[in-house]
């Protein structure tokens, strides 16, 4: 696992990456087969063998399975943190068990990816959320894990929202005034940023401009954004128009697969880092789809060492645009997530709560 992070995060071309990933993922399949009884039983019954001649032939699990059974490849006394998905009220949630090594690898991977886009300088940080999610450090939902993970990249943190997701504009103005020329790193979940930051500022008549070079990183479900007919282009335009924030990066990831964080580049494409990948599968046959064809997203990662989450078929619709040929210059596949598959339970994530109307 540690060696997976020692290479250029976007520096492997197609052939080198495929060979390296295949070797590592085959090793993980054998590891989890030997240590996780439910995974072993499924692998033996459905796949007969974990051997694969290429990435597309690797065994995979449906991501929904983590809502139904506990899957871990470590003894209970080695579980250092349990992540849970932020399912909607009453819905089953995934439970992901991390040991210390997997948690460290996750943090290190996120650091390397983030620094590739934002540099190594720690900026003042505005979290567009409230701090109540961080009270239990041993059991996190996806939202709290995201806040904690990205908070490591900032300093002088300000949590903008109260527990009702209402912003404190006065506190923000005072905080900005302390260092009016320093770029700010903003982090939040897509719909919360839209509802409790952009729309709230428009509602309250707020006129605040962030220093040049400020950057927003956001992620989470887009379902409520789609309901409001707001796409990625309109989202970015609103951030620029309301707050003067020109650098806006979306990311795609899930609690069920630690390490699979796919950042959006300057061209608007999500990128697979060297230790992870995506495969699009035909919705009818589940055969690998060609570039440019829509289908179900499968995500691969070398990092899940404490549970068998290294090859998962998601419930998201996506499309691969190409490999090693993005105008941004980063190697690897670049792709887009097009939304949830139809007739699939909606994830909670950033859509967990609606702010009371003013």
């Amino acid at each position: 696992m540690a060696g997976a992070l020692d290479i250029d995060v976007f520096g492997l071309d197609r052939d080198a990456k495929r060979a390296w990933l295949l070797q590592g993922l085959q090793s993980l399949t054998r590891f989890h087969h030997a240590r996780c009884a439910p995974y072993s039983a499924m692998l033996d019954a459905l796949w007969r063998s974990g051997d694969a001649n290429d990435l597309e032939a690797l065994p995979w699990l449906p991501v929904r399975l983590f809502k139904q059974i506990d899957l871990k490849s470590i003894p209970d006394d080695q579980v250092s943190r349990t992540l849970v998905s932020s399912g909607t009220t009453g819905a089953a949630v995934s439970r992901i068990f991390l040991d210390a090594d997997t948690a460290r690898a996750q943090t290190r991977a996120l650091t390397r990816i983030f620094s590739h886009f934002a540099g190594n300088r720690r900026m003042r940080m505005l979290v567009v959320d409230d701090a109540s999610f961080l009270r239990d450090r041993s059991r996190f939902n996806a939202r709290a894990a995201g806040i904690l993970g990205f908070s490591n990249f900032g300093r002088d943190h300000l949590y903008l929202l109260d527990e009702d997701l209402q912003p404190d504009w006065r506190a923000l103005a005072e905080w900005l005034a302390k260092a009016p020329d320093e770029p700010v790193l903003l982090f939040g979940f897509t719909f919360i940023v839209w509802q409790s930051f952009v729309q709230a500022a428009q509602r309250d008549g707020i006129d605040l401009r962030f220093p040049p070079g400020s950057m927003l990183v956001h992620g989470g479900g887009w379902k409520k954004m789609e309901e409001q007919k707001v796409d990625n282009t309109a989202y970015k335009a609103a951030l620029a128009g309301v707050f003067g924030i020109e650098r806006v990066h979306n990311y795609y990831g899930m609690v069920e697969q630690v390490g699979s964080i796919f950042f959006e580049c300057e061209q608007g494409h999500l990128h697979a880092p060297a230790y992870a990948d995506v495969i699009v599968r035909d919705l009818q046959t589940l055969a690998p789809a060609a570039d440019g064809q829509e289908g179900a997203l499968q995500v691969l990662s070398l990092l899940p060492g404490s549970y068998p989450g290294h090859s998962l078929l998601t419930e998201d619709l996506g499309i691969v645009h190409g490999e090693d040929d993005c105008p941004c210059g980063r190697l690897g596949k670049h792709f887009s997530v097009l939304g949830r598959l139809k007739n699939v339970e909606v994830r909670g994530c950033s859509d967990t709560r609606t702010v009371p109307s003013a």
Side-chain angles (χ1 to χ4, degrees):
M1 185 187 304
L5 302 175
D6 292 335
I7 60 172
D8 186 343
V9 70
F10 294 108
L12 288 183
D13 64 23
R14 180 183 186 277
D15 291 341
K17 179 176 178 178
R18 286 180 66 86
W20 186 67
L21 274 180
L22 181 61
Q23 180 181 12
L25 291 167
Q26 286 175 327
S27 178
L28 276 174
T29 298
R30 291 190 292 268
F31 177 87
H32 293 304
H33 180 271
R35 290 167 175 79
C36 179
Y39 179 71
S40 177
M42 288 182 286
L43 202 66
D44 292 343
L46 299 175
W47 299 93
R48 297 186 181 178
S49 170
D51 294 335
N53 294 324
D54 54 41
L55 295 178
E56 289 76 12
L58 285 164
W60 47 261
L61 296 180
V63 71
R64 182 179 289 253
L65 194 64
F66 290 90
K67 297 181 184 293
Q68 300 166 347
I69 59 176
D70 287 346
L71 295 168
K72 59 179 180 292
S73 303
I74 54 174
D76 291 342
D77 61 3
Q78 290 184 17
V79 175
S80 62
R81 181 172 297 171
T82 301
L83 305 181
V84 296
S85 58
S86 305
T88 52
T89 302
V93 296
S94 298
R95 284 162 45 89
I96 306 302
F97 303 95
L98 305 184
D99 61 4
D101 288 342
T102 303
R104 279 194 295 267
Q106 178 188 22
T107 299
R108 187 178 171 200
L110 183 59
T111 299
R112 294 203 65 194
I113 294 172
F114 182 81
S115 64
H116 204 280
F117 288 87
N120 295 315
R121 179 188 175 193
R122 293 175 67 196
M123 293 187 285
R124 303 183 76 218
M125 187 168 183
L126 176 69
V127 180
V128 187
D129 214 312
D130 74 285
S132 64
F133 284 84
L134 306 179
R135 289 171 182 161
D136 184 352
R137 292 297 181 99
S138 64
R139 179 181 172 90
F140 280 142
N141 68 13
R143 186 163 149 197
I147 293 171
L148 183 68
F150 281 96
S151 292
N152 291 325
F153 307 128
R155 58 180 177 83
D156 192 17
H157 300 76
L158 174 67
Y159 287 81
L160 179 65
L161 309 182
D162 62 20
E163 292 193 23
D164 292 323
L165 299 186
Q166 294 291 342
D168 186 339
W169 298 121
R170 180 177 178 179
L172 176 57
E174 293 174 350
W175 185 80
L176 287 172
K178 292 178 182 178
D181 299 322
E182 286 193 32
V184 173
L185 169 63
L186 300 92
F187 174 79
F189 289 90
T190 303
F191 183 68
I192 293 177
V193 170
W194 181 256
Q195 178 183 243
S196 299
F197 190 50
V198 176
Q199 289 187 318
Q202 294 170 330
R203 175 197 70 197
D204 298 338
I206 299 300
D207 183 18
L208 284 173
R209 310 298 287 182
F210 282 76
S214 294
M215 178 177 71
L216 168 70
V217 174
H218 70 100
W222 278 84
K223 181 176 175 57
K224 289 189 176 181
M225 302 304 302
E226 294 168 357
E227 292 174 354
Q228 296 191 19
K229 309 300 182 185
V230 179
D231 61 14
N232 199 16
T233 300
Y235 192 91
K236 291 179 179 180
L239 267 297
V242 176
F243 296 110
I245 300 170
E246 301 284 350
R247 299 174 63 196
V248 178
H249 293 273
N250 183 28
Y251 73 89
Y252 172 66
M254 63 193 66
V255 70
E256 292 88 356
Q257 191 179 78
V258 297
S260 285
I261 298 294
F262 304 97
F263 256 67
E264 180 188 39
C265 73
E266 299 79 3
Q267 304 295 321
H269 298 143
L270 297 167
H271 278 261
Y275 56 83
D277 213 345
V278 295
I279 296 169
V280 173
R281 294 193 173 272
D282 183 271
L283 295 178
Q284 300 300 320
T285 66
L286 293 182
D291 290 356
Q293 179 182 340
E294 298 178 7
L297 275 176
Q298 178 186 353
V299 290
L300 307 170
S301 174
L302 292 176
L303 300 187
S306 56
Y307 70 101
H310 56 296
S311 178
L312 302 178
L313 187 67
T314 76
E315 297 171 345
D316 296 317
L317 185 68
I319 183 171
V320 172
H321 301 295
E323 189 167 7
D324 296 348
D325 58 358
C326 182
C328 78
R330 295 176 179 89
L331 299 183
K333 289 179 185 174
H334 56 284
F335 66 102
S336 295
V337 178
L338 306 177
R340 301 284 287 161
L341 298 175
K342 292 183 179 180
N343 301 319
V344 169
E345 174 190 344
V346 176
R347 290 181 186 272
C349 205
S350 63
D351 300 342
T352 54
R353 211 170 4 157
T354 301
V355 175
S357 57

